[in-house]
Coordinates of all heavy atoms in Angstrom, one line a residue:
F229 N 13.0 22.5 4.7 CA 12.1 23.4 4.0 C 11.8 24.6 4.9 O 11.9 25.8 4.4 CB 10.8 22.7 3.7 CG 9.8 23.5 3.0 CD1 9.5 23.3 1.7 CD2 9.0 24.5 3.7 CE1 8.5 24.1 1.0 CE2 8.1 25.3 3.1 CZ 7.8 25.1 1.7
L230 N 11.5 24.4 6.1 CA 11.1 25.5 7.0 C 12.3 26.4 7.3 O 12.2 27.6 7.4 CB 10.5 24.9 8.3 CG 9.2 24.3 8.2 CD1 8.8 23.6 9.5 CD2 8.1 25.3 7.8
A231 N 13.5 25.8 7.5 CA 14.7 26.6 7.7 C 15.0 27.5 6.5 O 15.3 28.7 6.7 CB 15.9 25.7 8.0
K232 N 14.9 27.0 5.3 CA 15.2 27.8 4.1 C 14.0 28.7 3.8 O 14.2 29.6 3.0 CB 15.4 26.8 3.0 CG 16.8 26.2 3.0 CD 17.1 25.4 1.7 CE 18.6 25.0 1.7 NZ 19.0 24.2 2.8
S233 N 12.9 28.6 4.5 CA 11.8 29.5 4.4 C 11.8 30.6 5.4 O 10.8 31.4 5.5 CB 10.4 28.7 4.4 OG 10.3 27.8 3.4
G234 N 12.8 30.7 6.2 CA 13.0 31.8 7.1 C 12.8 31.4 8.6 O 12.6 32.4 9.4
W235 N 12.7 30.1 9.0 CA 12.5 29.8 10.4 C 13.6 30.4 11.3 O 14.8 30.3 11.0 CB 12.5 28.3 10.6 CG 12.0 27.9 11.9 CD1 12.8 27.8 13.1 CD2 10.7 27.7 12.4 NE1 12.0 27.5 14.1 CE2 10.7 27.4 13.8 CE3 9.4 27.7 11.7 CZ2 9.5 27.1 14.5 CZ3 8.3 27.4 12.4 CH2 8.3 27.2 13.8
V236 N 13.1 31.0 12.4 CA 14.0 31.6 13.4 C 14.0 30.8 14.6 O 13.0 30.6 15.3 CB 13.6 33.1 13.7 CG1 14.6 33.7 14.8 CG2 13.5 33.9 12.5
A237 N 15.2 30.2 14.9 CA 15.2 29.3 16.1 C 14.9 30.0 17.4 O 15.3 31.2 17.6 CB 16.6 28.6 16.2
G238 N 14.2 29.4 18.3 CA 13.9 29.9 19.6 C 12.8 30.8 19.7 O 12.5 31.3 20.8
V239 N 12.0 31.0 18.6 CA 10.9 31.9 18.6 C 9.6 31.1 18.3 O 9.6 30.4 17.3 CB 11.0 33.0 17.6 CG1 9.8 33.9 17.6 CG2 12.2 33.9 17.9
P240 N 8.6 31.2 19.2 CA 7.3 30.5 18.9 C 6.6 31.0 17.6 O 6.7 32.2 17.3 CB 6.5 30.7 20.1 CG 7.0 31.9 20.7 CD 8.4 32.0 20.4
A241 N 6.0 30.1 16.9 CA 5.2 30.6 15.7 C 4.0 31.3 16.2 O 3.6 32.3 15.5 CB 4.9 29.4 14.9
V242 N 3.4 30.8 17.2 CA 2.1 31.4 17.7 C 2.1 31.5 19.3 O 2.6 30.5 19.9 CB 0.9 30.5 17.3 CG1 -0.4 30.8 18.0 CG2 0.6 30.6 15.8
V243 N 1.6 32.6 19.8 CA 1.4 32.7 21.2 C 0.0 33.2 21.4 O -0.5 34.2 20.8 CB 2.4 33.7 21.8 CG1 2.0 34.0 23.3 CG2 3.8 33.2 21.8
E244 N -0.8 32.5 22.2 CA -2.2 33.0 22.6 C -2.0 34.2 23.5 O -1.2 34.1 24.5 CB -3.1 31.9 23.2 CG -4.5 32.4 23.3 CD -5.4 31.4 24.0 OE1 -5.0 30.3 24.3 OE2 -6.6 31.7 24.1
A245 N -2.7 35.2 23.3 CA -2.5 36.5 24.0 C -3.8 36.9 24.7 O -4.9 36.5 24.4 CB -2.1 37.6 23.1
R246 N -3.6 37.6 25.8 CA -4.8 38.3 26.5 C -4.6 39.8 26.3 O -3.6 40.4 26.6 CB -4.7 38.0 28.0 CG -5.1 36.6 28.4 CD -6.6 36.4 28.6 NE -6.9 35.1 29.2 CZ -7.4 34.1 28.4 NH1 -7.6 34.3 27.2 NH2 -7.6 32.9 29.0
L247 N -5.6 40.4 25.7 CA -5.6 41.8 25.4 C -6.2 42.6 26.6 O -7.2 42.2 27.2 CB -6.4 42.2 24.2 CG -6.0 41.4 22.9 CD1 -6.9 41.8 21.7 CD2 -4.5 41.6 22.6
P248 N -5.6 43.7 27.0 CA -6.2 44.5 28.1 C -7.5 45.1 27.7 O -7.8 45.3 26.5 CB -5.2 45.6 28.3 CG -4.5 45.8 27.0 CD -4.4 44.4 26.4
E249 N -8.4 45.4 28.6 CA -9.7 45.9 28.3 C -9.7 47.2 27.6 O -10.6 47.5 26.8 CB -10.5 46.0 29.6 CG -10.9 44.7 30.3 CD -11.8 44.9 31.5 OE1 -12.3 46.1 31.7 OE2 -12.0 44.0 32.2
S250 N -8.6 48.0 27.8 CA -8.5 49.3 27.2 C -7.9 49.2 25.8 O -7.7 50.3 25.2 CB -7.6 50.2 28.1 OG -6.3 49.6 28.2
F251 N -7.6 48.0 25.3 CA -6.9 47.9 24.0 C -7.7 48.5 22.9 O -8.9 48.3 22.8 CB -6.7 46.4 23.7 CG -5.8 46.2 22.5 CD1 -4.4 46.4 22.6 CD2 -6.3 45.7 21.3 CE1 -3.6 46.2 21.6 CE2 -5.5 45.5 20.2 CZ -4.1 45.8 20.4
D252 N -7.0 49.4 22.1 CA -7.7 50.2 21.0 C -7.6 49.6 19.6 O -8.2 50.2 18.7 CB -7.3 51.6 21.1 CG -5.8 51.8 20.7 OD1 -5.2 50.7 20.3 OD2 -5.3 52.9 20.8
Y253 N -6.9 48.5 19.5 CA -6.8 47.8 18.2 C -6.2 48.7 17.1 O -6.3 48.4 15.9 CB -8.2 47.3 17.6 CG -8.8 46.3 18.5 CD1 -9.6 46.6 19.6 CD2 -8.5 44.9 18.3 CE1 -10.2 45.6 20.4 CE2 -9.1 43.9 19.1 CZ -9.9 44.3 20.1 OH -10.4 43.3 20.9
A254 N -5.4 49.7 17.5 CA -4.8 50.6 16.5 C -3.6 50.0 15.8 O -3.4 50.3 14.6 CB -4.4 51.9 17.2
A255 N -2.9 49.1 16.5 CA -1.7 48.5 15.9 C -1.9 47.0 15.7 O -2.6 46.3 16.5 CB -0.5 48.7 16.9
F256 N -1.3 46.5 14.6 CA -1.4 45.1 14.4 C 0.0 44.5 14.3 O 0.2 43.3 14.6 CB -2.1 44.8 13.1 CG -3.5 44.4 13.2 CD1 -4.3 44.9 14.3 CD2 -4.1 43.5 12.3 CE1 -5.6 44.5 14.5 CE2 -5.5 43.2 12.5 CZ -6.2 43.7 13.6
D257 N 1.0 45.3 13.9 CA 2.4 44.8 13.6 C 3.4 45.5 14.5 O 3.7 46.7 14.2 CB 2.7 44.9 12.2 CG 1.9 44.1 11.3 OD1 1.8 42.8 11.5 OD2 1.2 44.6 10.3
L258 N 3.8 44.9 15.6 CA 4.8 45.4 16.5 C 5.8 44.3 16.8 O 5.9 43.4 16.1 CB 4.1 45.9 17.8 CG 3.1 47.0 17.6 CD1 2.3 47.3 18.9 CD2 3.7 48.3 17.1
D259 N 6.6 44.5 17.8 CA 7.5 43.4 18.3 C 7.0 43.0 19.7 O 6.1 43.7 20.3 CB 8.9 43.8 18.3 CG 9.3 45.0 19.2 OD1 8.7 45.1 20.3 OD2 10.1 45.8 18.8
F260 N 7.5 41.9 20.2 CA 7.0 41.4 21.4 C 7.1 42.3 22.6 O 6.3 42.5 23.5 CB 7.6 40.0 21.8 CG 7.1 38.9 21.0 CD1 7.9 38.2 20.0 CD2 5.8 38.4 21.2 CE1 7.4 37.2 19.3 CE2 5.3 37.3 20.5 CZ 6.1 36.7 19.6
G261 N 8.2 43.1 22.6 CA 8.5 44.1 23.6 C 7.4 45.2 23.6 O 6.9 45.6 24.7
R262 N 7.0 45.6 22.4 CA 6.0 46.7 22.3 C 4.7 46.2 22.8 O 3.9 46.9 23.4 CB 5.9 47.2 20.9 CG 7.2 48.0 20.5 CD 7.2 49.4 21.1 NE 5.9 50.2 20.8 CZ 5.6 50.8 19.7 NH1 6.5 50.7 18.6 NH2 4.5 51.4 19.5
W263 N 4.4 44.9 22.4 CA 3.1 44.3 22.8 C 3.0 44.3 24.4 O 2.0 44.6 25.0 CB 2.9 42.9 22.2 CG 2.6 42.9 20.8 CD1 3.3 42.4 19.8 CD2 1.5 43.5 20.1 NE1 2.7 42.6 18.5 CE2 1.6 43.3 18.7 CE3 0.4 44.3 20.6 CZ2 0.7 43.8 17.8 CZ3 -0.6 44.7 19.7 CH2 -0.4 44.5 18.3
R264 N 4.1 43.9 25.0 CA 4.2 43.8 26.4 C 4.0 45.2 27.0 O 3.3 45.3 28.0 CB 5.6 43.2 26.8 CG 5.7 42.9 28.3 CD 6.8 42.0 28.6 NE 8.0 42.3 27.9 CZ 8.6 41.6 26.9 NH1 8.0 40.4 26.6 NH2 9.7 41.9 26.3
A265 N 4.6 46.2 26.4 CA 4.4 47.6 26.9 C 2.9 48.0 26.8 O 2.5 48.9 27.6 CB 5.3 48.5 26.2
L266 N 2.2 47.5 25.9 CA 0.8 47.9 25.7 C -0.1 47.1 26.7 O -1.4 47.2 26.6 CB 0.4 47.6 24.3 CG 0.9 48.6 23.2 CD1 0.5 48.2 21.8 CD2 0.5 50.0 23.5
G267 N 0.5 46.2 27.5 CA -0.4 45.5 28.4 C -0.8 44.1 27.9 O -1.7 43.5 28.6
V268 N -0.3 43.7 26.8 CA -0.7 42.4 26.2 C 0.1 41.3 26.9 O 1.4 41.5 27.1 CB -0.4 42.3 24.7 CG1 -0.7 40.9 24.1 CG2 -1.3 43.4 24.0
A269 N -0.5 40.2 27.3 CA 0.2 39.2 28.1 C -0.2 37.8 27.4 O -1.1 37.7 26.6 CB -0.3 39.2 29.5
R270 N 0.6 36.8 27.8 CA 0.3 35.5 27.3 C -0.9 34.9 28.1 O -1.1 35.2 29.3 CB 1.5 34.5 27.5 CG 2.6 34.6 26.5 CD 3.7 33.6 26.7 NE 3.2 32.2 26.6 CZ 3.9 31.3 25.9 NH1 5.0 31.6 25.3 NH2 3.4 30.1 25.9
A271 N -1.8 34.2 27.4 CA -3.0 33.7 28.0 C -2.7 32.6 29.0 O -3.4 32.5 30.0 CB -3.9 33.1 26.9
D272 N -1.5 31.9 28.9 CA -1.2 30.9 29.8 C -0.4 31.4 31.0 O 0.0 30.6 31.9 CB -0.4 29.7 29.2 CG 0.9 30.2 28.5 OD1 1.3 31.3 28.7 OD2 1.5 29.4 27.8
G273 N -0.1 32.7 31.1 CA 0.6 33.3 32.2 C 2.1 33.3 32.1 O 2.8 33.9 32.9
E274 N 2.6 32.6 31.1 CA 4.1 32.6 30.9 C 4.5 33.9 30.3 O 3.7 34.8 29.8 CB 4.4 31.5 29.9 CG 4.1 30.1 30.4 CD 5.0 29.7 31.6 OE1 6.2 30.1 31.6 OE2 4.5 29.0 32.5
A275 N 5.8 34.2 30.3 CA 6.3 35.5 29.7 C 6.3 35.5 28.2 O 6.5 34.4 27.6 CB 7.7 35.7 30.3
L276 N 6.0 36.6 27.6 CA 6.1 36.8 26.2 C 7.6 36.6 25.8 O 8.5 36.9 26.6 CB 5.6 38.1 25.8 CG 4.1 38.4 25.7 CD1 3.8 39.8 25.4 CD2 3.4 37.4 24.7
P277 N 7.9 36.2 24.6 CA 9.3 36.2 24.1 C 9.9 37.6 24.3 O 9.3 38.6 24.2 CB 9.2 35.8 22.7 CG 7.9 35.0 22.6 CD 7.0 35.7 23.6
S278 N 11.2 37.6 24.5 CA 11.9 38.8 24.8 C 12.1 39.7 23.5 O 12.2 40.9 23.6 CB 13.3 38.5 25.4 OG 14.1 37.7 24.5
G279 N 12.1 39.1 22.4 CA 12.3 39.9 21.1 C 11.7 39.2 19.9 O 11.2 38.1 20.0
G280 N 11.7 39.9 18.8 CA 11.2 39.4 17.6 C 9.9 40.1 17.2 O 9.1 40.5 18.1
A281 N 9.6 40.2 15.9 CA 8.4 40.8 15.4 C 7.2 39.9 15.7 O 7.3 38.7 15.7 CB 8.6 41.1 13.9
A282 N 6.1 40.5 15.9 CA 4.8 39.7 16.1 C 3.6 40.5 15.6 O 3.6 41.8 15.8 CB 4.7 39.4 17.6
S283 N 2.7 39.9 15.0 CA 1.5 40.5 14.5 C 0.3 40.0 15.3 O 0.2 38.8 15.6 CB 1.3 40.2 13.0 OG 2.3 40.7 12.2
L284 N -0.6 40.9 15.6 CA -1.9 40.5 16.3 C -2.8 39.8 15.2 O -3.0 40.3 14.1 CB -2.5 41.7 16.9 CG -3.9 41.4 17.6 CD1 -3.7 40.5 18.8 CD2 -4.5 42.7 18.0
Y285 N -3.3 38.6 15.6 CA -4.1 37.9 14.7 C -5.4 37.4 15.4 O -5.2 36.7 16.4 CB -3.3 36.7 14.1 CG -4.1 35.8 13.1 CD1 -5.1 36.4 12.3 CD2 -3.8 34.5 13.0 CE1 -5.8 35.6 11.4 CE2 -4.5 33.7 12.1 CZ -5.5 34.2 11.3 OH -6.2 33.5 10.4
L286 N -6.5 37.8 14.9 CA -7.8 37.5 15.5 C -8.6 36.7 14.5 O -9.5 37.2 13.8 CB -8.5 38.7 16.0 CG -7.7 39.6 17.0 CD1 -8.1 41.1 16.8 CD2 -8.0 39.1 18.4
P287 N -8.4 35.4 14.4 CA -8.9 34.6 13.3 C -10.4 34.4 13.4 O -11.1 34.0 12.4 CB -8.2 33.3 13.4 CG -7.7 33.2 14.8 CD -7.4 34.6 15.2
A288 N -11.1 34.7 14.5 CA -12.5 34.7 14.6 C -13.1 36.0 15.1 O -14.2 36.1 15.7 CB -12.9 33.6 15.6
G289 N -12.3 37.1 15.0 CA -12.7 38.4 15.4 C -12.4 38.6 16.9 O -11.8 37.8 17.6
A290 N -12.8 39.8 17.4 CA -12.5 40.2 18.7 C -13.1 39.3 19.8 O -12.7 39.3 20.9 CB -12.8 41.6 19.0
D291 N -14.2 38.6 19.4 CA -14.9 37.7 20.4 C -14.2 36.4 20.6 O -14.6 35.6 21.5 CB -16.3 37.5 19.9 CG -17.2 38.7 20.0 OD1 -16.8 39.6 20.8 OD2 -18.1 38.8 19.2
G292 N -13.2 36.0 19.8 CA -12.5 34.8 19.8 C -11.1 34.9 20.4 O -10.7 35.9 20.9
P293 N -10.3 33.8 20.3 CA -9.0 33.9 20.8 C -8.1 34.9 20.1 O -8.3 35.1 18.9 CB -8.5 32.4 20.5 CG -9.7 31.6 20.3 CD -10.7 32.5 19.8
A294 N -7.2 35.5 20.8 CA -6.2 36.4 20.2 C -4.9 35.8 20.2 O -4.5 35.1 21.1 CB -6.2 37.7 21.0
F295 N -4.1 36.0 19.1 CA -2.8 35.4 18.9 C -1.8 36.4 18.5 O -2.1 37.4 17.8 CB -2.8 34.3 17.9 CG -3.8 33.1 18.2 CD1 -5.1 33.1 17.7 CD2 -3.4 32.1 19.1 CE1 -5.9 32.1 18.0 CE2 -4.3 31.1 19.4 CZ -5.5 31.0 18.8
L296 N -0.6 36.3 18.9 CA 0.5 37.0 18.4 C 1.3 36.0 17.5 O 1.7 34.9 18.0 CB 1.5 37.5 19.5 CG 0.8 38.6 20.3 CD1 1.8 39.1 21.4 CD2 0.4 39.8 19.5
I297 N 1.4 36.3 16.2 CA 2.1 35.3 15.3 C 3.4 36.0 14.9 O 3.5 37.1 14.6 CB 1.2 35.0 14.1 CG1 0.8 36.3 13.3 CG2 0.0 34.2 14.5 CD1 0.0 36.0 12.1
S298 N 4.5 35.1 14.8 CA 5.8 35.6 14.5 C 6.2 35.3 13.1 O 5.4 34.8 12.3 CB 6.8 34.9 15.5 OG 7.0 33.5 15.0
D299 N 7.4 35.6 12.7 CA 7.9 35.3 11.4 C 7.9 33.8 11.1 O 7.8 33.4 10.0 CB 9.3 35.9 11.2 CG 9.4 37.4 11.1 OD1 8.3 38.0 10.8 OD2 10.4 37.9 11.3
N300 N 7.9 33.0 12.2 CA 7.8 31.6 12.0 C 6.5 31.1 11.5 O 6.4 30.1 10.8 CB 8.2 30.8 13.2 CG 9.7 31.0 13.5 OD1 10.5 31.2 12.6 ND2 10.1 30.8 14.8
F301 N 5.4 31.8 11.8 CA 4.1 31.6 11.3 C 4.2 31.7 9.7 O 3.6 30.9 9.0 CB 3.1 32.5 11.9 CG 1.6 32.2 11.5 CD1 0.9 31.3 12.2 CD2 1.1 32.9 10.4 CE1 -0.4 31.1 11.9 CE2 -0.3 32.7 10.1 CZ -1.0 31.8 10.8
E302 N 4.9 32.8 9.3 CA 5.0 33.0 7.9 C 5.9 31.9 7.2 O 5.6 31.6 6.1 CB 5.6 34.4 7.6 CG 4.7 35.5 8.0 CD 3.4 35.5 7.3 OE1 3.4 35.3 6.1 OE2 2.3 35.6 8.0
A303 N 6.8 31.4 7.9 CA 7.6 30.3 7.4 C 6.7 29.1 7.1 O 6.8 28.4 6.1 CB 8.8 29.9 8.3
I304 N 5.8 28.8 8.1 CA 4.9 27.7 7.9 C 4.0 28.0 6.7 O 3.6 27.1 5.9 CB 4.0 27.5 9.1 CG1 4.9 27.1 10.3 CG2 2.9 26.4 8.9 CD1 4.1 27.0 11.7
R305 N 3.6 29.2 6.5 CA 2.7 29.6 5.3 C 3.4 29.4 4.0 O 2.8 29.3 3.0 CB 2.3 31.0 5.4 CG 1.2 31.3 6.5 CD 0.6 32.7 6.4 NE -0.2 32.9 5.3 CZ 0.1 33.7 4.2 NH1 1.3 34.2 4.1 NH2 -0.8 33.8 3.3
Q306 N 4.7 29.3 4.0 CA 5.4 29.0 2.7 C 5.1 27.6 2.3 O 5.2 27.2 1.1 CB 6.9 29.2 2.9 CG 7.4 30.6 3.3 CD 6.7 31.6 2.4 OE1 6.9 31.7 1.2 NE2 6.0 32.5 3.1
Y307 N 4.7 26.7 3.2 CA 4.3 25.3 2.9 C 3.0 25.4 2.2 O 2.7 24.6 1.3 CB 4.3 24.5 4.2 CG 4.8 23.1 4.1 CD1 6.0 22.8 4.6 CD2 4.1 22.1 3.4 CE1 6.5 21.5 4.5 CE2 4.6 20.8 3.3 CZ 5.8 20.5 3.9 OH 6.3 19.2 3.8
N308 N 2.1 26.2 2.7 CA 0.7 26.4 2.2 C 0.3 27.8 2.6 O 0.3 28.1 3.8 CB -0.2 25.3 2.8 CG -1.6 25.4 2.3 OD1 -2.2 26.5 2.1 ND2 -2.2 24.2 2.0
T309 N -0.1 28.6 1.6 CA -0.3 30.0 1.9 C -1.5 30.3 2.7 O -1.8 31.5 3.0 CB -0.3 30.8 0.6 OG1 -1.4 30.3 -0.2 CG2 1.0 30.8 -0.1
S310 N -2.3 29.3 3.1 CA -3.5 29.5 3.9 C -3.2 29.8 5.4 O -2.4 29.1 6.0 CB -4.4 28.3 3.8 OG -5.3 28.2 4.9
D311 N -3.8 30.9 5.9 CA -3.7 31.1 7.4 C -4.3 30.0 8.2 O -3.7 29.6 9.2 CB -4.5 32.4 7.7 CG -3.7 33.7 7.3 OD1 -2.5 33.6 7.1 OD2 -4.4 34.7 7.2
A312 N -5.4 29.4 7.7 CA -6.0 28.2 8.4 C -5.0 27.1 8.5 O -4.8 26.4 9.5 CB -7.2 27.8 7.7
Y313 N -4.3 26.8 7.4 CA -3.3 25.8 7.4 C -2.2 26.1 8.4 O -1.8 25.2 9.2 CB -2.6 25.6 6.0 CG -1.5 24.6 5.9 CD1 -1.7 23.3 5.7 CD2 -0.2 25.1 6.2 CE1 -0.7 22.4 5.7 CE2 0.9 24.2 6.1 CZ 0.6 22.8 5.9 OH 1.7 21.9 5.9
A314 N -1.6 27.3 8.3 CA -0.5 27.6 9.2 C -0.9 27.6 10.7 O -0.2 27.1 11.6 CB 0.0 29.0 8.9
M315 N -2.2 28.0 11.0 CA -2.7 28.0 12.3 C -2.9 26.5 12.8 O -2.6 26.2 13.9 CB -4.0 28.7 12.4 CG -4.6 28.8 13.8 SD -3.5 29.7 15.0 CE -3.6 31.4 14.4
S316 N -3.3 25.6 11.9 CA -3.5 24.2 12.3 C -2.2 23.6 12.6 O -2.1 22.8 13.6 CB -4.2 23.5 11.2 OG -3.4 23.3 10.0
V317 N -1.1 23.9 11.9 CA 0.2 23.3 12.2 C 0.7 23.9 13.5 O 1.2 23.1 14.3 CB 1.2 23.6 11.0 CG1 2.6 23.3 11.5 CG2 0.8 22.8 9.8
A318 N 0.6 25.2 13.7 CA 1.1 25.8 14.9 C 0.4 25.3 16.1 O 1.0 25.0 17.2 CB 1.0 27.3 14.8
L319 N -0.9 25.2 16.1 CA -1.7 24.8 17.3 C -1.5 23.3 17.5 O -1.5 22.9 18.7 CB -3.2 25.2 17.1 CG -3.5 26.7 17.0 CD1 -5.0 26.9 17.2 CD2 -2.7 27.4 18.1
L320 N -1.5 22.5 16.4 CA -1.2 21.1 16.6 C 0.1 20.8 17.3 O 0.3 20.0 18.2 CB -1.3 20.3 15.3 CG -1.1 18.8 15.3 CD1 -2.0 18.1 16.2 CD2 -1.1 18.3 13.9
A321 N 1.1 21.6 16.8 CA 2.4 21.5 17.4 C 2.4 21.8 18.9 O 3.0 21.1 19.8 CB 3.4 22.4 16.7
E322 N 1.7 22.9 19.3 CA 1.6 23.3 20.7 C 0.9 22.2 21.5 O 1.4 21.8 22.6 CB 0.8 24.6 20.8 CG 1.5 25.8 20.3 CD 2.7 26.2 21.2 OE1 2.5 26.5 22.4 OE2 3.8 26.2 20.7
R323 N -0.1 21.6 20.9 CA -0.8 20.5 21.6 C 0.1 19.3 21.7 O 0.1 18.6 22.8 CB -2.1 20.2 20.9 CG -3.2 21.3 20.9 CD -4.0 21.4 22.2 NE -4.6 20.1 22.5 CZ -5.7 19.6 21.9 NH1 -6.3 20.3 21.0 NH2 -6.2 18.4 22.3
I324 N 0.8 18.9 20.7 CA 1.7 17.8 20.8 C 2.8 18.0 21.9 O 3.2 17.0 22.5 CB 2.4 17.6 19.4 CG1 1.4 17.0 18.4 CG2 3.6 16.6 19.5 CD1 1.9 16.9 17.0
A325 N 3.2 19.2 22.0 CA 4.2 19.6 23.1 C 3.6 19.6 24.5 O 4.3 19.9 25.5 CB 4.9 20.9 22.7
G326 N 2.3 19.4 24.6 CA 1.6 19.3 25.9 C 1.1 20.7 26.4 O 0.7 20.8 27.6
R327 N 1.0 21.7 25.5 CA 0.4 23.0 25.9 C -1.0 23.1 25.4 O -1.3 23.0 24.2 CB 1.3 24.1 25.3 CG 2.7 24.1 25.9 CD 3.6 25.2 25.4 NE 4.1 25.0 24.1 CZ 5.2 24.4 23.8 NH1 6.0 23.9 24.7 NH2 5.6 24.2 22.5

Side-chain angles (χ1 to χ4, degrees):
F229 181 104
L230 292 171
K232 286 186 168 59
S233 297
W235 189 272
V236 180
V239 177
V242 166
V243 171
E244 187 181 3
R246 288 270 188 258
L247 305 180
E249 290 186 10
S250 59
F251 190 72
D252 64 4
Y253 295 90
F256 262 31
D257 296 304
L258 300 171
D259 58 42
F260 283 110
R262 292 284 305 281
W263 288 119
R264 188 164 42 249
L266 289 174
V268 176
R270 280 184 64 135
D272 60 9
E274 298 293 325
L276 286 174
S278 58
S283 295
L284 179 62
Y285 180 32
L286 301 149
D291 292 334
F295 300 95
L296 294 178
I297 56 176
S298 73
D299 289 341
N300 288 339
F301 185 88
E302 292 304 309
I304 298 171
R305 284 185 76 252
Q306 300 311 302
Y307 220 106
N308 181 317
T309 57
S310 156
D311 284 341
Y313 174 88
M315 184 60 70
S316 69
V317 168
L319 295 192
L320 179 59
E322 290 290 300
R323 294 279 305 280
I324 288 171
R327 295 182 282 271

